[in-house]
Amino acid sequence: MVRKKGSLILCGGFLFVAWNALLLLYLWGRSPSGRLGEGGGAEPGGKEEWGVGRGRGGQVNLAGEVIRLAEEVEVQLETQKKLLKQIEVHRAVWARQRDVGKREAQKKKEIKEELVKQELKPPPPVKESQEVRDQTDVKQTQKPAATEASHSNSEQQQATAIKQEIKTNTFYTSSPEVVIPILVIACDRVTVKRSLDKLIQYRPSPKLFPIIVSQDCGHAETARVIGSYGEQVTLISQPDLSDIRVRPEHRKFQGYYKIARHYRWALNQIFNTLSHSNVVIVEDDLEVAPDFFEYFRALYPILRSDPSLWCVSAWNDNGRDALVDPSKAELLHRTDFFPGLGWMLLKDMWDELEPKWPSAFWDDWMRQPEQRKDRSCIRPEISRTITFGRKGVSLGQFFDQYLRYIKLNTEFVPFTKLDLSYLLKDKYEVKFIPEVYSTHLVKIEDLQQGGSLKGPGPFRVQYSTRDTFKVFARNLGVMDDLKSGVPRTGYRGVVSFLHRGRRVFLAPPEDWTHYDVSWS
């Protein structure tokens, strides 16, 4: 059996070899059907070009033909590879050019949005402020007409010139497309409804002024009130409701620590998660004025363009009815004191503050010189917010004595149509300092008695020490506390207010140079 199988294997091997031998002999003697390179080949063919030899009688070497075909295919593949590499290189260049074009188009769009888009009209003559009256010769600027691409350099020069003129000599207008989110800081007050009702009532555009309510405390009833507004507001919830470990003497201040934590989380949501460039922060116990949104839209470009400013506030700490001029609802001031209570913050400023954000008492921390860095805020003559929240972590501090008497503006002022460039530092101080120190210097007794003073004012009362400031402030009805040496509403140490219908400047000596932090 084994011998039989071996014989079969030998026979099979012999037949296989014989068959292949016959096949090779047949192919060797078969004439070629065509030669590459002659009549249709991609490349001129020949033994010199391809290294292919011929057999006897001009017959083609089959193995050589196979090798030649393989080499040709390899050459074609290499060519295609080079073409693909060139396409990749050009595609990358095209992508970079497209990105550059998009950036340039976006930059050009932003510049155009900042330009004056039509002839600007001067502010209405009714109830105009002293600052506005003094600026009667303001140039009117038109947006330059668009030019062809061949004149792009000329167009850029015109745009630059107009932008510079806007910064120095003409009206400021806010971009109509800038989004200004309103961040409402909420906790456990169901009266947040009062605040939200007014915000929604006066909001000119949900798209341009999205309202985002950030709730801490996990108070279910307050969350239901906020949720009842549906798509009119966006609710975000601070996730960490745990107590914060503090030193024993600060246990009674646990609320202040939680507020600071909430602010940090909420502002990170606005700037880093939602990617906004600015925000207006209000708390759940604030009611806003009819022109609240108009006020911040008009002042946004001022804040963004003046590095000596770091916030815009809707609040006047000395905004009691008897201390403000009701005929000058459009009057705005610079102040070195951080007011809060409805204020605008830019992302660039948050990027500076967030890494060192305090664990508690964030508002007083903002008033320290290390944070303020000699920068100022804008505030109104008449407040655009009032607080109705006597209940809170401060336990009504100042509420009964001052805050409940703050006057809320009721007259709509078209701020976006007014020239607000007088608030820029260089222009403001050129007028403000001479105005203060050229006024008649009087004693506080003269103001209180009033009979010996002639004319409508303004008048100046001078203080030189911390104690004299506090005594004069109390007697004149303005807030007497100082934070890091800065009086409330003060600018260069000067507190401006009305007393019995006359403008008064409570001011330090004319050679004043800086605040004394020991006065706090």
Side-chain angles (χ1 to χ4, degrees):
M1 189 71 178
V2 173
R3 190 181 300 115
K4 186 176 180 180
K5 286 185 177 180
S7 299
L8 289 173
I9 292 171
L10 288 172
C11 183
F14 175 78
L15 289 173
F16 177 80
V17 171
W19 172 255
N20 283 281
L22 290 171
L23 181 62
L24 287 173
L25 288 172
Y26 171 76
L27 292 173
W28 185 275
R30 184 172 175 266
S31 62
S33 61
R35 296 198 340 246
L36 287 173
E38 296 181 3
E43 296 283 342
K47 65 181 178 181
E48 290 81 13
E49 302 228 19
W50 296 99
V52 178
R54 290 182 177 274
R56 291 189 306 270
Q59 293 178 343
V60 177
N61 186 328
L62 178 61
E65 282 294 316
V66 173
I67 293 171
R68 186 180 65 80
L69 287 172
E71 289 177 343
E72 184 178 0
V73 170
E74 185 177 357
V75 170
Q76 292 297 325
L77 288 174
E78 188 66 26
T79 302
Q80 292 180 14
K81 185 186 294 184
K82 290 179 180 179
L83 288 173
L84 287 173
K85 286 183 178 179
Q86 291 179 0
I87 291 172
E88 287 294 328
V89 170
H90 286 295
R91 186 169 65 179
V93 172
W94 296 334
R96 286 196 297 270
Q97 290 176 345
R98 185 171 64 250
D99 292 341
V100 170
K102 286 182 179 179
R103 287 195 297 268
E104 289 179 351
Q106 182 64 25
K107 186 175 181 181
K108 187 175 180 180
K109 179 181 177 183
E110 291 176 355
I111 292 176
K112 286 184 178 180
E113 287 175 351
E114 294 300 325
L115 299 179
V116 179
K117 295 191 175 182
Q118 59 183 2
E119 280 195 0
L120 295 169
K121 298 179 181 180
V126 180
K127 297 184 179 179
E128 55 183 356
S129 68
Q130 185 65 37
E131 286 81 357
V132 175
R133 284 199 298 270
D134 289 342
Q135 300 178 25
T136 57
D137 296 327
V138 179
K139 293 181 181 179
Q140 294 186 346
T141 305
Q142 289 183 331
K143 174 183 174 182
T147 61
E148 298 295 333
S150 60
H151 299 97
S152 61
N153 290 336
S154 175
E155 182 182 2
Q156 289 178 359
Q157 290 173 358
Q158 290 177 359
T160 302
I162 290 176
K163 192 172 181 181
Q164 182 64 28
E165 187 175 2
I166 290 174
K167 286 186 176 181
T168 58
N169 201 33
T170 61
F171 294 126
Y172 268 74
T173 57
S174 179
S175 166
E177 295 183 357
V178 63
V179 175
I180 302 178
I182 310 299
L183 173 63
V184 181
I185 300 292
C187 181
D188 58 355
R189 291 190 182 108
V190 294
T191 51
V192 67
K193 183 180 188 324
R194 176 175 170 182
S195 179
L196 292 176
D197 283 346
K198 291 298 182 182
L199 284 169
I200 293 171
Q201 177 184 346
Y202 297 136
R203 177 172 61 173
S205 167
K207 179 180 178 181
L208 297 181
F209 295 96
I211 298 173
I212 302 164
V213 185
S214 179
Q215 188 190 5
D216 198 1
C217 310
H219 191 251
E221 184 60 31
T222 301
R224 279 193 291 272
V225 170
I226 299 168
S228 69
Y229 289 90
E231 295 183 355
Q232 295 181 95
V233 305
T234 299
L235 173 62
I236 58 177
S237 299
Q238 202 281 109
D240 186 1
L241 305 181
S242 63
D243 284 340
I244 299 172
R245 182 176 297 179
V246 300
R247 57 182 187 267
E249 61 270 25
H250 271 209
R251 285 174 184 166
K252 62 181 179 181
F253 300 130
Q254 179 75 210
Y256 289 101
Y257 282 84
K258 290 185 176 181
I259 289 174
R261 177 177 65 185
H262 185 193
Y263 263 82
R264 184 176 203 160
W265 180 86
L267 289 171
N268 276 328
Q269 293 296 306
I270 293 293
F271 290 124
N272 299 331
T273 303
L274 301 177
S275 301
H276 289 292
S277 63
N278 66 88
V279 67
V280 174
I281 305 156
V282 299
E283 296 185 0
D284 56 0
D285 60 346
L286 292 183
E287 180 179 329
V288 302
D291 57 357
F292 174 86
F293 296 94
E294 174 81 356
Y295 174 79
F296 282 108
R297 175 163 294 283
L299 287 169
Y300 169 71
I302 297 285
L303 175 61
R304 193 176 61 177
S305 64
D306 188 346
S308 70
L309 293 172
W310 71 323
C311 86
V312 173
S313 174
W315 177 260
N316 178 359
D317 278 294
N318 289 317
R320 296 170 64 183
D321 202 353
L323 300 176
V324 299
D325 189 341
S327 68
K328 293 184 177 180
E330 77 285 358
L331 181 58
L332 307 178
H333 306 269
R334 290 176 69 102
T335 176
D336 296 326
F337 189 91
F338 172 72
L341 296 178
W343 56 288
M344 174 177 275
L345 176 71
L346 300 182
K347 184 181 187 303
D348 289 345
M349 187 56 59
W350 178 242
D351 290 341
E352 175 188 322
L353 297 174
E354 195 273 339
K356 54 180 180 177
W357 191 252
S359 57
F361 310 107
W362 68 268
D363 49 351
D364 284 343
W365 175 84
M366 290 275 287
R367 293 161 184 152
Q368 294 172 358
E370 294 81 7
Q371 280 64 252
R372 192 175 69 82
K373 296 181 179 178
D374 292 326
R375 293 174 292 205
S376 305
C377 295
I378 302 297
R379 70 165 180 89
E381 171 74 6
I382 304 176
S383 282
R384 264 59 188 184
T385 56
I386 57 169
T387 177
F388 53 83
R390 188 179 186 280
K391 173 189 174 184
V393 294
S394 61
L395 302 178
Q397 182 185 21
F398 297 130
F399 184 85
D400 291 330
Q401 188 176 359
Y402 294 103
L403 303 183
R404 65 182 300 178
Y405 300 109
I406 298 294
K407 175 181 174 63
L408 180 66
N409 179 63
T410 57
E411 173 188 348
F412 185 92
V413 176
F415 284 111
T416 55
K417 294 181 173 62
L418 301 183
D419 178 11
L420 303 179
S421 63
Y422 70 89
L423 293 165
L424 300 174
K425 182 177 182 179
D426 292 342
K427 298 182 73 171
Y428 191 85
E429 292 192 350
V430 165
K431 179 175 174 54
F432 177 77
I433 296 173
E435 180 184 6
V436 170
Y437 291 100
S438 64
T439 56
H440 184 47
L441 181 62
V442 299
K443 296 180 179 180
I444 190 171
E445 293 84 2
D446 297 331
L447 283 175
Q448 291 175 323
Q449 295 171 2
S452 61
L453 296 179
K454 296 181 180 180
F459 299 104
R460 175 166 53 100
V461 175
Q462 184 168 297
Y463 68 90
S464 56
T465 67
R466 173 184 178 275
D467 291 339
T468 55
F469 170 80
K470 294 180 83 67
V471 168
F472 292 166
R474 288 194 203 101
N475 280 276
L476 294 171
V478 298
M479 296 188 76
D480 66 341
D481 64 320
L482 304 103
K483 301 291 185 180
S484 296
V486 184
R488 292 183 184 266
T489 74
Y491 185 70
R492 291 183 56 86
V494 180
V495 177
S496 174
F497 57 96
L498 248 60
H499 182 76
R500 297 183 179 178
R502 293 165 166 167
R503 178 65 57 182
V504 174
F505 300 116
L506 181 56
E510 190 171 359
D511 60 356
W512 180 95
T513 57
H514 63 278
Y515 293 103
D516 186 343
V517 295
S518 69
W519 283 24
S520 298

